Amino acid sequence: MQMSESYFVPEVIHLEHTLENGQCFRWRKISEGHYLGVVHGMVLEAKQMEEGTLLTPMDEELFQRVFYDYFGFGRDLLRRQDALAQKDPWLKIAVDYCRGLSILKQDPWETLITFILSQNNHIPRIRSLVEKLAVLRGPKLTYRGNQLPDRQEEFYGFPTPSELENVTEEELRTLGFGYRAGYVVDAVQKVLAGEVDLEKVVGLPLHGGREELKRIKGVGNKVADCVLLFGYGFQEAFPVDVWVLRALERFYCKEIEEAGSREAFIKEYFGGEGGLAQQMLFHTLRNGMYP
DNA sequence: GCCCAGGCACTCA
DNA sequence: TGAGTGCCTGGG
């Protein structure tokens, strides 16, 4: 396999709105519409094209096997967003702003640790902590892209539970993880011991998956829902953080009252598009696009 | 230099 | 069942 080749995907997802909306932390912008990321144990470039998306290095087989799902291709994204825009003026504003924002389907383990680290943190700091963990125990990667030949840096994949087996809370605290250090260690131990089964979550209903993940220290409703949405692809998962809470209270106050509870409203109103709607409302509000 | 962030766990009513 | 509070830290 000649892995310095590029692969063109004839389907548009909006890379900026997709990779810079806080669902992932290992992509960074190289230039306008051009991103470099460490994903699934490889260094990958993604370029926004007018009629699609260019991935490097990539071939058909790898794309179909891993990255088709990862990026959320083939999910009829634009039509679904246009349908959401018809529901109310708030969603209309969101879709106008970030049409093409795709919900990634990332590695569940990486997503779990990443969102454990996200609590009480700004995005730049989350990125820095995830990077530190990768450098600490992750595999060193060889960069094989052909578009940034002068790039001289080292890349590390995200470490597996086994690779993190002997990591200690003290070690992580030294690196600046704070009280989350213990949460990471707990996740490693419970997953390695089989006490929490990340594979099993795939086949569970939303609520069951949530409860399984919440057995790990430091995982509450919000983190669990982020993992279910961004890591497992539960499209109805609707993580409620402070921003989304603000949006719900501002836009849907009356409807929530009528539905009886916030959870009931979310389920009835957004249904299987909860995740997509949530992330677009979040991204649009956070970027100050609501008057 | 200080503040506070995309939460969670624990306590107490 | 819900409100109040402590927790680590460094980027902005």
Side-chain angles (χ1 to χ4, degrees):
Chain A
M1 181 159 71
Q2 181 46 267
M3 277 300 284
S4 64
E5 302 268 315
S6 295
Y7 184 81
F8 178 73
V9 190
E11 182 178 334
V12 173
I13 60 170
H14 196 291
L15 288 181
E16 184 179 347
H17 289 313
T18 299
L19 301 178
E20 297 190 58
N21 72 27
Q23 63 175 323
C24 54
F25 298 90
R26 299 210 71 197
W27 283 95
R28 64 173 188 275
K29 193 184 217 170
I30 299 300
S31 60
E32 205 54 45
H34 187 184
Y35 291 82
L36 186 67
V38 180
V39 196
H40 283 301
M42 64 181 279
V43 185
L44 185 65
E45 282 175 56
K47 249 185 174 173
Q48 185 79 64
M49 312 299 275
E50 206 167 314
E51 312 256 324
T53 311
L54 189 69
L55 303 174
T56 312
M58 186 63 62
D59 64 14
E60 169 89 33
E61 188 276 331
L62 181 64
F63 175 71
Q64 293 298 344
R65 183 164 52 83
V66 180
F67 289 98
Y68 180 83
D69 277 343
Y70 172 83
F71 282 105
F73 288 116
R75 290 191 211 143
D76 211 3
L77 181 64
L78 300 182
R79 188 200 54 77
R80 287 164 50 209
Q81 287 172 333
D82 291 340
L84 280 174
Q86 302 296 315
K87 285 177 80 77
D88 64 60
W90 308 110
L91 283 168
K92 171 81 165 63
I93 291 171
V95 173
D96 285 346
Y97 172 58
C98 56
R99 192 168 180 267
L101 180 158
S102 182
I103 302 293
L104 300 174
K105 187 170 178 296
Q106 306 173 68
D107 174 66
W109 168 249
E110 179 173 345
T111 311
L112 170 67
I113 298 301
T114 298
F115 281 91
I116 284 175
L117 296 179
S118 78
Q119 59 187 267
N120 266 358
N121 270 162
H122 297 91
I123 287 173
R125 190 147 176 256
I126 302 168
R127 301 179 82 97
S128 142
L129 293 180
V130 174
E131 192 64 33
K132 280 178 183 173
L133 206 52
V135 172
L136 185 69
R137 290 287 194 283
K140 190 170 177 182
L141 304 177
T142 308
Y143 174 60
R144 293 201 183 80
N146 59 6
Q147 300 191 36
L148 300 164
D150 56 342
R151 192 151 284 267
Q152 301 279 333
E153 48 182 312
E154 295 184 339
F155 298 94
Y156 294 85
F158 193 80
T160 62
S162 306
E163 285 165 337
L164 290 168
E165 182 169 16
N166 58 357
V167 86
T168 63
E169 179 170 347
E170 292 67 36
E171 196 176 4
L172 295 181
R173 278 185 179 264
T174 307
L175 287 174
F177 282 57
Y179 62 89
R180 306 163 201 83
Y183 299 163
V184 173
V185 171
D186 187 65
V188 170
Q189 288 173 349
K190 285 193 173 132
V191 168
L192 284 178
E195 208 175 312
V196 168
D197 187 349
L198 294 183
E199 295 289 320
K200 190 176 83 177
V201 172
V202 177
L204 294 176
L206 184 72
H207 182 73
R210 201 188 217 197
E211 293 310 308
E212 179 75 7
L213 294 171
K214 279 168 68 176
R215 294 169 60 204
I216 295 164
K217 279 186 205 157
V219 178
N221 288 337
K222 193 269 177 181
V223 170
D225 285 349
C226 284
V227 178
L228 290 168
L229 178 60
F230 305 131
Y232 286 95
F234 281 77
Q235 296 300 307
E236 72 274 35
F238 196 102
V240 179
D241 57 48
V242 290
W243 290 91
V244 172
L245 192 58
R246 276 176 221 160
L248 290 174
E249 282 170 353
R250 182 174 159 200
F251 304 154
Y252 304 108
C253 189
K254 188 162 67 77
E255 290 85 345
I256 290 171
E257 210 167 294
E258 285 167 6
S261 73
R262 199 174 66 213
E263 290 233 320
F265 163 73
I266 289 168
K267 199 171 173 184
E268 283 168 25
Y269 190 72
F270 299 108
E273 298 292 32
L276 188 59
Q278 179 274 155
Q279 199 59 12
M280 290 200 302
L281 289 169
F282 167 79
H283 184 58
T284 306
L285 183 66
R286 223 174 74 102
N287 287 359
M289 303 309 290
Y290 285 111

